[in-house]
Amino acid sequence: MSGMSNIVLASGSPRRQELLRRIGIDEFVIRVPQVEETYPEDLSPEEIVSYISRKKSLAVPSTPNEVVITADTMVFLDDKRLGKPVDEADALRMLTALAGRRHTVCTGVTVRQGEHIITRAQSTDVLFRPATQDELLSYIRGGEPMDKAGSYGVQGQGALLVERIYGDFFNVMGLPVLLLSRMLREFDINLLA
């Protein structure tokens, strides 16, 4: 890896931390942004996650030599946002709506160093298999859905609900690593050098 600057991951997500390590970024500091995840109503799904990702980036203090990485991932069904469930009944409602259907996972990624800032978005379609209410309730009782957009984690037991993924698997986990690596090149950071 060449051109490595001081990396700041502006996220408390354990999945994003794991993905950075998987692609060779072993040393980074974590600064969790405190922002309201609000956005203008007339935005498309990719514009929404880009808007929030950039908002998170600008909320994180940094020095001129630090490269700040932020991301925001959302699940959309019929262009309607499915956030994190508020309770088990909400998780069941979301998972029931997703069962047997195709939905879209969008992640906005922002990379910033000083005044240089770029934001990109990635979309991945996911097809859920049909599932019984008993299966969904069993999954919910395990607790995994409760802190995840759309009420599932593809990297865990939620994978048992996924029939097919059309696009970047890592995007569904919360950080499209190929897109991120291409963005980092614009900051002279090459992960394969």
Short mmCIF file of all heavy atoms in Angstrom, two decimals, residues 39 42-52 121:
data_model
loop_
_atom_site.label_atom_id
_atom_site.label_comp_id
_atom_site.label_asym_id
_atom_site.label_seq_id
_atom_site.Cartn_x
_atom_site.Cartn_y
_atom_site.Cartn_z
N TYR A 39 -32.52 14.99 5.35
CA TYR A 39 -32.16 15.31 3.98
C TYR A 39 -33.36 15.92 3.27
O TYR A 39 -34.51 15.72 3.69
CB TYR A 39 -31.69 14.05 3.24
CG TYR A 39 -32.63 12.88 3.39
CD1 TYR A 39 -33.71 12.70 2.51
CD2 TYR A 39 -32.47 11.96 4.42
CE1 TYR A 39 -34.57 11.63 2.67
CE2 TYR A 39 -33.34 10.89 4.57
CZ TYR A 39 -34.38 10.73 3.69
OH TYR A 39 -35.25 9.67 3.85
N ASP A 42 -36.78 15.77 -1.95
CA ASP A 42 -36.84 15.50 -3.39
C ASP A 42 -35.63 14.73 -3.93
O ASP A 42 -35.43 14.66 -5.14
CB ASP A 42 -36.99 16.82 -4.15
CG ASP A 42 -35.83 17.78 -3.89
OD1 ASP A 42 -35.15 17.64 -2.86
OD2 ASP A 42 -35.62 18.68 -4.73
N LEU A 43 -34.85 14.11 -3.08
CA LEU A 43 -33.65 13.41 -3.52
C LEU A 43 -33.95 11.95 -3.87
O LEU A 43 -34.80 11.31 -3.27
CB LEU A 43 -32.58 13.44 -2.42
CG LEU A 43 -32.09 14.82 -1.97
CD1 LEU A 43 -31.03 14.67 -0.89
CD2 LEU A 43 -31.56 15.63 -3.15
N SER A 44 -33.16 11.41 -4.82
CA SER A 44 -33.23 9.99 -5.15
C SER A 44 -32.51 9.20 -4.06
O SER A 44 -31.76 9.78 -3.25
CB SER A 44 -32.54 9.74 -6.49
OG SER A 44 -31.13 9.93 -6.36
N PRO A 45 -32.69 7.86 -4.01
CA PRO A 45 -31.97 7.08 -2.99
C PRO A 45 -30.45 7.31 -3.00
O PRO A 45 -29.86 7.51 -1.93
CB PRO A 45 -32.33 5.64 -3.36
CG PRO A 45 -33.72 5.76 -3.89
CD PRO A 45 -33.69 7.04 -4.71
N GLU A 46 -29.80 7.32 -4.17
CA GLU A 46 -28.35 7.54 -4.21
C GLU A 46 -27.99 8.96 -3.75
O GLU A 46 -26.97 9.17 -3.11
CB GLU A 46 -27.79 7.24 -5.59
CG GLU A 46 -27.72 5.76 -5.87
CD GLU A 46 -26.93 5.41 -7.11
OE1 GLU A 46 -26.53 6.31 -7.87
OE2 GLU A 46 -26.69 4.20 -7.32
N GLU A 47 -28.84 9.93 -4.08
CA GLU A 47 -28.58 11.30 -3.63
C GLU A 47 -28.75 11.43 -2.13
O GLU A 47 -28.02 12.18 -1.48
CB GLU A 47 -29.52 12.27 -4.36
CG GLU A 47 -29.20 12.45 -5.82
CD GLU A 47 -30.28 13.21 -6.59
OE1 GLU A 47 -31.46 13.17 -6.18
OE2 GLU A 47 -29.94 13.85 -7.60
N ILE A 48 -29.70 10.69 -1.54
CA ILE A 48 -29.91 10.74 -0.09
C ILE A 48 -28.67 10.25 0.65
O ILE A 48 -28.15 10.92 1.55
CB ILE A 48 -31.13 9.89 0.32
CG1 ILE A 48 -32.43 10.54 -0.18
CG2 ILE A 48 -31.18 9.71 1.85
CD1 ILE A 48 -33.66 9.64 -0.04
N VAL A 49 -28.16 9.07 0.28
CA VAL A 49 -27.00 8.52 1.00
C VAL A 49 -25.75 9.37 0.75
O VAL A 49 -24.91 9.50 1.65
CB VAL A 49 -26.76 7.03 0.67
CG1 VAL A 49 -27.91 6.18 1.22
CG2 VAL A 49 -26.55 6.78 -0.81
N SER A 50 -25.63 9.95 -0.43
CA SER A 50 -24.51 10.85 -0.70
C SER A 50 -24.59 12.11 0.16
O SER A 50 -23.59 12.56 0.73
CB SER A 50 -24.49 11.24 -2.19
OG SER A 50 -24.23 10.11 -2.99
N TYR A 51 -25.78 12.66 0.26
CA TYR A 51 -26.00 13.87 1.05
C TYR A 51 -25.63 13.63 2.51
O TYR A 51 -24.91 14.42 3.13
CB TYR A 51 -27.47 14.28 0.92
CG TYR A 51 -27.85 15.54 1.66
CD1 TYR A 51 -27.78 16.78 1.04
CD2 TYR A 51 -28.31 15.48 2.98
CE1 TYR A 51 -28.14 17.93 1.71
CE2 TYR A 51 -28.67 16.62 3.66
CZ TYR A 51 -28.59 17.85 3.03
OH TYR A 51 -28.95 18.98 3.71
N ILE A 52 -26.11 12.52 3.06
CA ILE A 52 -25.84 12.23 4.48
C ILE A 52 -24.37 11.89 4.71
O ILE A 52 -23.76 12.31 5.70
CB ILE A 52 -26.78 11.14 5.01
CG1 ILE A 52 -28.22 11.67 5.01
CG2 ILE A 52 -26.37 10.69 6.41
CD1 ILE A 52 -29.27 10.65 5.38
N ALA A 121 -21.72 7.27 -4.86
CA ALA A 121 -22.73 6.34 -4.33
C ALA A 121 -22.71 5.04 -5.12
O ALA A 121 -22.35 5.01 -6.29
CB ALA A 121 -24.12 6.97 -4.41
#
